[in-house]
Amino acid sequence: MVHRVGYAPGVYDLFHIGHLNILRHARSQCEYLVAGVVSDEMAELAKGRRPVVPLPERLEIVRSVRHVDAAFVETVPDKLETWKQVRFDVIFKGDDWRGTEKGEKLERDFAAVGVEVVYFPYTVHTSSTLLTRALNALVTPGSGEARPAP
């Protein structure tokens, strides 16, 4: 029997339904799922800002999801370097990567080592970026205090 190891990397900041969907779908396509939780420093390099929720808390949240067998802290930007440590057979990404320069590079790099790249639908209506914007909008500019909800 083939034991397929899957890898689902992400920042997993402000954990939401999109994150849960990716982990659920990923687990359905492998026997063992490792979730890669991007470090605060790597998230800042990739997105230009640090996560709202610090790494130890994000790691604990992701580890606690029943679809996840193990969690790994990503500390390097190169997914191939991560693969050398984790040794997965398939990597799961949101389909917002499909057809992009970074997605095509990912596919080329992993094809060279026999790793399949599988895309899942990106949850457009909910993302950590949108949640952060919504939270920021609740803060009155200059006061640092939250506005009452309408």
Side-chain angles (χ1 to χ4, degrees), residues 11 38-51 58 74-79 102:
V11 177
V38 176
S39 72
D40 293 343
E41 295 77 18
M42 287 296 102
E44 188 171 22
L45 279 176
K47 297 188 176 222
R49 65 173 176 78
R50 292 179 79 80
R58 292 183 288 119
E74 271 195 30
T75 58
V76 294
D78 184 355
K79 298 286 187 241
K102 62 185 178 181

Side-chain angles (χ1 to χ4, degrees), residues 57-116:
E57 294 176 23
R58 292 183 288 119
L59 192 58
E60 184 61 27
I61 290 165
V62 170
R63 273 189 182 131
S64 298
V65 174
R66 70 181 166 135
H67 308 293
V68 173
D69 295 297
F72 175 83
V73 177
E74 271 195 30
T75 58
V76 294
D78 184 355
K79 298 286 187 241
L80 210 47
E81 286 301 314
T82 299
W83 173 80
K84 290 175 183 176
Q85 296 174 43
V86 180
R87 295 295 178 158
F88 44 86
D89 305 300
V90 57
I91 185 169
F92 303 103
K93 294 296 291 177
D95 65 3
D96 55 321
W97 277 58
R98 187 191 312 263
T100 66
E101 188 177 319
K102 62 185 178 181
E104 290 171 1
K105 180 183 181 331
L106 190 77
E107 291 172 29
R108 280 191 310 275
D109 289 350
F110 281 122
V113 295
V115 172
E116 181 183 4

Side-chain angles (χ1 to χ4, degrees), residues 1-5 30-31 89:
M1 180 175 161
V2 175
H3 183 75
R4 190 160 129 130
V5 176
C30 61
E31 284 73 41
D89 305 300

